[in-house]
Amino acid sequence: MDEASKTLALLSEEELACLQGKGLDIGCGADPVKPDAQCFDKAQGDANRITDFLSALESYDYVFSSHCLEHMYDPRKTIVDWWKLVRPGGTMFVIVPDEDLYEQGYWPSLFNGDHKATFTISKERSWSPVSVNVLDLARSLSDATIVSARLQDHGYRRDYTARVWPRALVKTAIRIRRAVTRHAPALRALVDRIYFRMRFPMDQTSGPAVAQNILIVRKGV
């Protein structure tokens, strides 16, 4: 929820300074990174094939995408296409869920059935059959310099380690928590305490926490 806004609050002054000029926000939903950024979401076209809808001649000072790349069929190809829209000297921001903090060892994803890949930032080996290394993505971009590549876990409870429960039981627990959040929000804290004690997998990002990798790359002039 409002992942772009949560990310903005965690950026340094140097990183925020990259969000100047003509900007494009891919997959912005109702939470664009800046009010004047051009939005590209489902109503504007398919981000898997973004250059079919936006010409590279329409280059941008920055391209921002928060929690969209994990929905793409081929993240490695897609990010190269997005990179074509960044003008020389411009910057691209890509934020994706961290597979260990968000998926928590379960695939397909328990919390978003549309996820098509998981992401890590430094591991050589992953439990996930569809794992993508964020640093490998950066290396695939031509004339790119990494400005920042790091894990963001602000507000995430690392003292909690999910236990491996049967998938059917976990899905039932997730449905109960979502129902409580929707219909009896006053009980959510109680349910969360129980789930933490039982070590049920939980989507901590449904609240203020983040569990994501951020990659910021600048294109050479």
Side-chain angles (χ1 to χ4, degrees), residues 22 54-60 84-85 87:
K22 182 181 179 183
L54 296 175
S55 167
L57 297 176
E58 300 181 68
S59 57
Y60 297 86
K84 295 174 183 175
L85 300 173
R87 65 180 46 158

Side-chain angles (χ1 to χ4, degrees), residues 102-116:
Y102 188 78
E103 267 78 31
Q104 300 173 51
Y106 290 84
W107 186 257
S109 177
L110 291 169
F111 305 113
N112 194 314
D114 191 55
H115 283 191
K116 297 173 177 62

Side-chain angles (χ1 to χ4, degrees), residues 29 83 120:
W83 184 240
T120 182

Side-chain angles (χ1 to χ4, degrees), residues 69-141:
L69 191 63
E70 64 270 22
H71 298 278
M72 301 296 101
Y73 291 107
D74 187 346
R76 295 175 180 86
K77 177 182 180 298
T78 297
I79 198 172
V80 171
D81 287 342
W82 292 359
W83 184 240
K84 295 174 183 175
L85 300 173
V86 180
R87 65 180 46 158
T91 309
M92 182 164 69
F93 291 67
V94 175
I95 298 98
V96 289
D98 180 78
E99 63 186 24
D100 292 330
L101 302 187
Y102 188 78
E103 267 78 31
Q104 300 173 51
Y106 290 84
W107 186 257
S109 177
L110 291 169
F111 305 113
N112 194 314
D114 191 55
H115 283 191
K116 297 173 177 62
T118 67
F119 295 85
T120 182
I121 205 162
S122 60
K123 289 161 28 184
E124 293 184 2
R125 299 181 63 182
S126 171
W127 55 265
S128 169
V130 291
S131 181
V132 177
N133 190 299
V134 170
L135 295 179
D136 288 342
L137 291 179
R139 297 185 189 105
S140 73
L141 304 176

Side-chain angles (χ1 to χ4, degrees), residues 5-202:
S5 295
K6 290 195 283 186
T7 298
L8 281 176
L10 301 175
L11 296 181
S12 68
E13 290 186 9
E14 177 186 2
E15 292 164 345
L16 287 170
C18 295
L19 295 171
Q20 301 295 329
K22 182 181 179 183
L24 176 70
D25 190 338
I26 303 173
C28 59
D31 185 35
V33 62
K34 294 186 70 177
D36 60 351
Q38 179 179 336
C39 293
F40 187 94
D41 214 308
K42 292 179 180 179
Q44 289 74 42
D46 185 353
N48 287 283
R49 303 180 291 107
I50 200 165
T51 52
D52 289 351
F53 303 91
L54 296 175
S55 167
L57 297 176
E58 300 181 68
S59 57
Y60 297 86
D61 295 303
Y62 69 88
V63 171
F64 182 93
S65 181
S66 175
H67 293 268
C68 180
L69 191 63
E70 64 270 22
H71 298 278
M72 301 296 101
Y73 291 107
D74 187 346
R76 295 175 180 86
K77 177 182 180 298
T78 297
I79 198 172
V80 171
D81 287 342
W82 292 359
W83 184 240
K84 295 174 183 175
L85 300 173
V86 180
R87 65 180 46 158
T91 309
M92 182 164 69
F93 291 67
V94 175
I95 298 98
V96 289
D98 180 78
E99 63 186 24
D100 292 330
L101 302 187
Y102 188 78
E103 267 78 31
Q104 300 173 51
Y106 290 84
W107 186 257
S109 177
L110 291 169
F111 305 113
N112 194 314
D114 191 55
H115 283 191
K116 297 173 177 62
T118 67
F119 295 85
T120 182
I121 205 162
S122 60
K123 289 161 28 184
E124 293 184 2
R125 299 181 63 182
S126 171
W127 55 265
S128 169
V130 291
S131 181
V132 177
N133 190 299
V134 170
L135 295 179
D136 288 342
L137 291 179
R139 297 185 189 105
S140 73
L141 304 176
S142 61
D143 200 15
T145 300
I146 297 176
V147 175
S148 183
R150 67 182 187 277
L151 173 69
Q152 292 182 318
D153 61 353
H154 183 80
Y156 192 93
R157 283 190 58 174
R158 282 183 169 272
D159 60 325
Y160 161 74
T161 303
R163 175 180 173 185
V164 179
W165 291 92
R167 187 177 183 87
L169 177 61
V170 171
K171 291 183 73 172
T172 298
I174 291 170
R175 286 196 295 269
I176 292 171
R177 183 172 183 263
R178 286 175 176 168
V180 167
T181 300
R182 186 179 303 113
H183 301 296
L187 295 177
R188 175 174 169 173
L190 174 61
V191 171
D192 283 359
R193 284 197 297 272
I194 294 171
Y195 279 31
F196 274 116
R197 179 176 291 275
M198 299 295 294
R199 291 162 59 199
F200 276 125
M202 287 174 49

